[in-house]
Short mmCIF file of all heavy atoms in Angstrom, two decimals:
data_model
loop_
_atom_site.label_atom_id
_atom_site.label_comp_id
_atom_site.label_asym_id
_atom_site.label_seq_id
_atom_site.Cartn_x
_atom_site.Cartn_y
_atom_site.Cartn_z
N ARG A 408 -3.99 14.55 -27.71
CA ARG A 408 -3.92 15.63 -28.70
C ARG A 408 -3.85 15.10 -30.14
O ARG A 408 -4.05 15.86 -31.08
CB ARG A 408 -2.71 16.54 -28.41
CG ARG A 408 -2.87 17.32 -27.09
CD ARG A 408 -1.62 18.08 -26.76
NE ARG A 408 -0.48 17.17 -26.60
CZ ARG A 408 0.77 17.57 -26.35
NH1 ARG A 408 1.02 18.86 -26.20
NH2 ARG A 408 1.74 16.69 -26.22
N ASP A 409 -3.59 13.80 -30.30
CA ASP A 409 -3.67 13.23 -31.64
C ASP A 409 -5.12 13.15 -32.10
O ASP A 409 -5.40 12.99 -33.28
CB ASP A 409 -3.05 11.82 -31.67
CG ASP A 409 -1.55 11.87 -31.47
OD1 ASP A 409 -0.98 12.96 -31.64
OD2 ASP A 409 -0.96 10.82 -31.12
N TRP A 410 -6.06 13.23 -31.15
CA TRP A 410 -7.49 13.20 -31.49
C TRP A 410 -8.14 14.57 -31.28
O TRP A 410 -8.95 15.00 -32.07
CB TRP A 410 -8.23 12.17 -30.63
CG TRP A 410 -7.94 10.76 -30.97
CD1 TRP A 410 -8.65 9.99 -31.86
CD2 TRP A 410 -6.89 9.93 -30.46
NE1 TRP A 410 -8.10 8.74 -31.92
CE2 TRP A 410 -7.03 8.65 -31.07
CE3 TRP A 410 -5.86 10.11 -29.55
CZ2 TRP A 410 -6.17 7.60 -30.81
CZ3 TRP A 410 -4.99 9.06 -29.28
CH2 TRP A 410 -5.15 7.82 -29.91
N VAL A 411 -7.81 15.20 -30.15
CA VAL A 411 -8.46 16.45 -29.77
C VAL A 411 -7.41 17.47 -29.33
O VAL A 411 -6.62 17.19 -28.42
CB VAL A 411 -9.43 16.22 -28.57
CG1 VAL A 411 -10.16 17.49 -28.23
CG2 VAL A 411 -10.41 15.10 -28.86
N ARG A 412 -7.43 18.63 -29.97
CA ARG A 412 -6.47 19.68 -29.59
C ARG A 412 -7.22 20.97 -29.23
O ARG A 412 -8.05 21.45 -30.00
CB ARG A 412 -5.55 20.01 -30.77
CG ARG A 412 -4.19 19.37 -30.66
CD ARG A 412 -3.30 19.78 -31.80
NE ARG A 412 -2.16 18.89 -31.83
CZ ARG A 412 -1.06 19.08 -31.11
NH1 ARG A 412 -0.92 20.15 -30.37
NH2 ARG A 412 -0.07 18.20 -31.16
N LEU A 413 -6.89 21.51 -28.08
CA LEU A 413 -7.63 22.67 -27.58
C LEU A 413 -7.55 23.86 -28.53
O LEU A 413 -8.56 24.48 -28.85
CB LEU A 413 -7.10 23.06 -26.19
CG LEU A 413 -7.98 24.04 -25.46
CD1 LEU A 413 -9.27 23.38 -25.01
CD2 LEU A 413 -7.26 24.63 -24.25
N ASN A 414 -6.34 24.20 -28.98
CA ASN A 414 -6.24 25.42 -29.82
C ASN A 414 -6.97 25.26 -31.15
O ASN A 414 -7.52 26.23 -31.68
CB ASN A 414 -4.78 25.86 -30.01
CG ASN A 414 -3.89 24.72 -30.42
OD1 ASN A 414 -4.39 23.64 -30.75
ND2 ASN A 414 -2.59 24.94 -30.41
N GLU A 415 -7.04 24.03 -31.66
CA GLU A 415 -7.79 23.83 -32.91
C GLU A 415 -9.29 24.00 -32.67
O GLU A 415 -10.00 24.56 -33.52
CB GLU A 415 -7.51 22.43 -33.47
CG GLU A 415 -6.12 22.34 -34.08
CD GLU A 415 -5.72 20.91 -34.48
OE1 GLU A 415 -6.60 20.02 -34.47
OE2 GLU A 415 -4.54 20.72 -34.80
N ILE A 416 -9.77 23.54 -31.51
CA ILE A 416 -11.20 23.70 -31.19
C ILE A 416 -11.54 25.18 -31.03
O ILE A 416 -12.57 25.67 -31.50
CB ILE A 416 -11.55 22.92 -29.91
CG1 ILE A 416 -11.38 21.43 -30.16
CG2 ILE A 416 -12.96 23.21 -29.45
CD1 ILE A 416 -11.54 20.57 -28.93
N MET A 417 -10.64 25.92 -30.37
CA MET A 417 -10.87 27.36 -30.20
C MET A 417 -11.01 28.05 -31.55
O MET A 417 -11.91 28.85 -31.76
CB MET A 417 -9.70 27.98 -29.41
CG MET A 417 -9.73 27.64 -27.94
SD MET A 417 -8.24 28.16 -27.07
CE MET A 417 -8.41 29.94 -27.11
N GLU A 418 -10.11 27.69 -32.46
CA GLU A 418 -10.14 28.32 -33.79
C GLU A 418 -11.37 27.90 -34.58
O GLU A 418 -12.10 28.73 -35.10
CB GLU A 418 -8.89 27.91 -34.57
CG GLU A 418 -7.77 28.94 -34.46
CD GLU A 418 -6.51 28.45 -35.14
OE1 GLU A 418 -6.62 27.90 -36.26
OE2 GLU A 418 -5.43 28.61 -34.54
N GLU A 419 -11.57 26.60 -34.62
CA GLU A 419 -12.63 26.06 -35.47
C GLU A 419 -14.02 26.52 -35.05
O GLU A 419 -14.87 26.84 -35.86
CB GLU A 419 -12.56 24.53 -35.45
CG GLU A 419 -13.35 23.90 -36.58
CD GLU A 419 -13.05 22.40 -36.68
OE1 GLU A 419 -11.90 21.99 -36.38
OE2 GLU A 419 -13.95 21.65 -37.03
N TYR A 420 -14.26 26.57 -33.72
CA TYR A 420 -15.61 26.89 -33.24
C TYR A 420 -15.72 28.31 -32.68
O TYR A 420 -16.75 28.70 -32.14
CB TYR A 420 -16.05 25.87 -32.19
CG TYR A 420 -16.11 24.45 -32.72
CD1 TYR A 420 -15.04 23.58 -32.54
CD2 TYR A 420 -17.22 24.01 -33.44
CE1 TYR A 420 -15.08 22.29 -33.06
CE2 TYR A 420 -17.27 22.72 -33.97
CZ TYR A 420 -16.19 21.86 -33.77
OH TYR A 420 -16.23 20.60 -34.28
N GLY A 421 -14.62 29.07 -32.76
CA GLY A 421 -14.64 30.44 -32.26
C GLY A 421 -14.90 30.51 -30.76
O GLY A 421 -15.62 31.37 -30.28
N LEU A 422 -14.32 29.56 -30.01
CA LEU A 422 -14.56 29.51 -28.56
C LEU A 422 -13.38 30.07 -27.78
O LEU A 422 -12.24 30.04 -28.25
CB LEU A 422 -14.80 28.05 -28.12
CG LEU A 422 -16.07 27.38 -28.65
CD1 LEU A 422 -16.03 25.89 -28.40
CD2 LEU A 422 -17.31 27.99 -27.99
N GLY A 423 -13.65 30.57 -26.58
CA GLY A 423 -12.58 30.96 -25.66
C GLY A 423 -12.01 29.70 -25.02
O GLY A 423 -12.53 28.59 -25.21
N PRO A 424 -10.93 29.86 -24.21
CA PRO A 424 -10.27 28.68 -23.65
C PRO A 424 -11.18 27.81 -22.78
O PRO A 424 -11.11 26.59 -22.85
CB PRO A 424 -9.11 29.26 -22.83
CG PRO A 424 -9.30 30.74 -22.81
CD PRO A 424 -10.25 31.11 -23.90
N ASN A 425 -12.08 28.42 -22.02
CA ASN A 425 -12.91 27.60 -21.14
C ASN A 425 -14.02 26.86 -21.90
O ASN A 425 -14.26 25.67 -21.67
CB ASN A 425 -13.52 28.45 -20.01
CG ASN A 425 -12.44 28.92 -19.06
OD1 ASN A 425 -11.48 28.21 -18.81
ND2 ASN A 425 -12.58 30.15 -18.56
N GLY A 426 -14.66 27.58 -22.82
CA GLY A 426 -15.67 26.93 -23.67
C GLY A 426 -15.03 25.80 -24.46
O GLY A 426 -15.62 24.72 -24.61
N ALA A 427 -13.83 26.05 -24.96
CA ALA A 427 -13.14 25.03 -25.75
C ALA A 427 -12.78 23.82 -24.89
O ALA A 427 -12.84 22.68 -25.35
CB ALA A 427 -11.89 25.62 -26.39
N GLN A 428 -12.45 24.06 -23.63
CA GLN A 428 -12.14 22.94 -22.73
C GLN A 428 -13.35 22.04 -22.55
O GLN A 428 -13.23 20.81 -22.52
CB GLN A 428 -11.71 23.46 -21.35
CG GLN A 428 -10.27 23.94 -21.27
CD GLN A 428 -9.26 22.82 -21.15
OE1 GLN A 428 -9.61 21.64 -21.20
NE2 GLN A 428 -8.00 23.16 -21.02
N ILE A 429 -14.53 22.65 -22.42
CA ILE A 429 -15.75 21.86 -22.25
C ILE A 429 -16.03 21.05 -23.52
O ILE A 429 -16.32 19.85 -23.46
CB ILE A 429 -16.94 22.79 -21.91
CG1 ILE A 429 -16.73 23.36 -20.50
CG2 ILE A 429 -18.26 22.05 -22.01
CD1 ILE A 429 -17.71 24.40 -20.08
N ALA A 430 -15.89 21.72 -24.67
CA ALA A 430 -16.09 21.00 -25.93
C ALA A 430 -15.05 19.88 -26.05
O ALA A 430 -15.37 18.77 -26.48
CB ALA A 430 -15.96 21.97 -27.11
#
Side-chain angles (χ1 to χ4, degrees):
R408 293 174 300 178
D409 291 343
W410 288 268
V411 183
R412 259 183 195 274
L413 193 71
N414 48 11
E415 287 172 10
I416 294 173
M417 286 172 69
E418 265 175 43
E419 195 169 328
Y420 299 96
L422 294 168
N425 292 325
Q428 281 281 5
I429 291 173

